[in-house]
Amino acid sequence: PADLEHEIEQLLMQLGEVNDRMSRLYTSSTSVGSGSTSRHVLQRHREILHDLAQEFNKIKTNLKSAEERQELLSTVRANICEHRHSTDMLLRERNALHTCDRLTNDVISNAEATKAALANQRSVFSSVGSRLQLLSALAPRATTLLGAIETRKLRDKMLLGALIGGCVSLILLYRLATDGA
């Protein structure tokens, strides 16, 4: 359980770091014009991290209570073994230990479920991060493409202007030549 607790704490810290990186990516990409969905996704992931951290702390507190209860029960059990005069007390202790064992197993299974959820969140954050990087890489390309389109429009306008000017000049020359003849 101590190794599992340490591993979950590390995963929570890594998840927090991923959230921070996503936040930095989001703030750096707001000038590019990212949508509000990214902000909502980022906020949702922060809420999930907060919920997971609260659940982990709750489970950790429950585990400590179970350990304290286990220690207390083992002390009582030692006293009962010393006195051995009451079989009823031994049976109640056995039932209490069984209940404590079941609760401990439940807490451990909850911790494992939390670990699996954290691993799932990690993969989700990884895919979101790669998508944000892809979007930030596409923005300069779009700007370059828009510049090329503007340049082509300007060239086409100049050619059209020159063509119209040439046609008007030819019409005027024709008109002058036909009026003079």
Side-chain angles (χ1 to χ4, degrees):
D3 292 337
L4 182 61
E5 177 183 338
H6 180 70
E7 184 178 346
I8 291 173
E9 286 174 348
Q10 284 184 336
L11 287 171
L12 283 172
M13 287 187 340
Q14 288 175 355
L15 188 56
E17 291 171 4
V18 169
N19 274 350
D20 292 341
R21 280 188 273 157
M22 281 177 48
S23 179
R24 285 192 298 270
L25 279 171
Y26 173 75
T27 55
S28 68
S29 69
T30 54
S31 62
V32 176
S34 65
S36 64
T37 55
S38 296
R39 182 178 61 238
H40 290 297
V41 167
L42 182 61
Q43 182 62 33
R44 178 64 186 138
H45 288 293
R46 285 181 183 152
E47 291 170 0
I48 289 171
L49 174 62
H50 179 70
D51 291 344
L52 290 174
Q54 281 185 332
E55 184 68 24
F56 174 70
N57 288 332
K58 181 179 163 184
I59 289 170
K60 191 164 84 171
T61 303
N62 288 343
L63 273 174
K64 285 186 182 185
S65 294
E67 287 174 359
E68 289 172 0
R69 222 179 297 132
Q70 180 68 25
E71 184 178 321
L72 178 64
L73 290 175
S74 66
T75 303
V76 169
R77 187 174 182 191
N79 289 339
I80 290 173
C81 288
E82 288 176 10
H83 295 96
R84 295 234 187 244
H85 65 277
S86 172
T87 55
D88 292 336
M89 291 175 76
L90 287 173
L91 289 174
R92 276 186 261 141
E93 181 68 23
R94 180 179 175 206
N95 289 337
L97 286 173
H98 178 69
T99 301
C100 183
D101 186 44
R102 190 185 76 233
L103 289 175
T104 303
N105 287 338
D106 290 345
V107 168
I108 288 172
S109 67
N110 284 340
E112 289 172 347
T114 302
K115 178 184 172 186
L118 286 173
N120 186 28
Q121 287 298 318
R122 183 179 187 184
S123 67
V124 167
F125 284 141
S126 174
S127 68
V128 167
S130 65
R131 287 180 185 157
L132 284 175
Q133 286 177 345
L134 177 66
L135 286 175
S136 66
L138 289 177
R141 292 180 188 160
T143 304
T144 305
L145 181 63
L146 288 175
I149 291 171
E150 287 296 320
T151 304
R152 185 169 282 189
K153 277 184 176 178
L154 182 62
R155 186 191 70 196
D156 289 348
K157 285 178 184 178
M158 291 179 77
L159 285 174
L160 187 60
L163 181 66
I164 290 173
C167 287
V168 167
S169 297
L170 287 175
I171 289 173
L172 285 175
L173 283 174
Y174 176 74
R175 191 78 151 144
L176 286 174
T178 56
D179 283 344

